[in-house]
Amino acid sequence: MTRSNKSLFNYTTCPSKGSARIADGSLTFVSGTGSVVCTPNLTLSPVLHVLKFSINLLYVSTITKALNYKLEFFPDHCVFQDLQTGKTIGSGRLCDGLYLLDRSPNMFQALFGDNKDVNWEII
């Protein structure tokens, strides 16, 4: 989910007045959907365009499926590992109920290639 549609391609508005639940439990309007090209080999889709969000959010399932990673959750942090090699790729820390992605070079390279202008968190 993203607040800005500037990084989305194949953008389509949501005429059906779709909604997304936000952290306080309320529903907010989904303006549209599109795709984000992270690297030549990784496109995330569908990505919801939600104006009320202040940060960009990635679903755990998006990362685990797209990159063939596993994710382990602990009371105060999480760890991403490559399923084939077992190598730790990245981690996150718990902050106000969300696991915030550490700015690990390996994790961001896997997700976003050389694009340094990204700011995504994990839910």
Side-chain angles (χ1 to χ4, degrees):
M1 289 184 244
T2 183
R3 179 180 188 165
S4 171
N5 66 353
K6 291 180 182 175
S7 62
L8 299 177
F9 80 94
N10 292 334
Y11 183 79
T12 306
T13 58
C14 285
S16 64
K17 305 284 188 210
S19 61
R21 189 163 308 278
I22 56 176
D24 67 5
S26 65
L27 293 175
T28 188
F29 177 67
V30 174
S31 299
T33 64
S35 301
V36 174
V37 177
C38 298
T39 69
N41 298 322
L42 179 62
T43 299
L44 303 178
S45 183
V47 175
L48 302 179
H49 176 215
V50 181
L51 294 172
K52 197 167 181 179
F53 274 62
S54 59
I55 59 175
N56 297 323
L57 301 174
L58 286 173
Y59 287 105
V60 168
S61 61
T62 300
I63 295 171
T64 56
K65 288 178 186 176
L67 298 174
N68 201 31
Y69 285 177
K70 75 174 184 174
L71 179 57
E72 290 186 284
F73 289 96
F74 300 92
D76 61 350
H77 71 286
C78 62
V79 178
F80 292 87
Q81 292 180 307
D82 185 292
L83 277 176
Q84 291 183 330
T85 66
K87 179 181 176 184
T88 296
I89 303 301
S91 61
R93 63 188 177 355
L94 185 64
C95 181
D96 295 327
L98 293 176
Y99 287 89
L100 303 180
L101 210 64
D102 291 335
R103 303 298 183 214
S104 158
N106 289 340
M107 185 70 165
F108 268 74
Q109 181 66 33
L111 282 171
F112 304 109
D114 295 324
N115 185 355
K116 305 294 186 226
D117 298 324
V118 294
N119 186 24
W120 292 86
E121 306 304 344
I122 304 299
I123 60 170

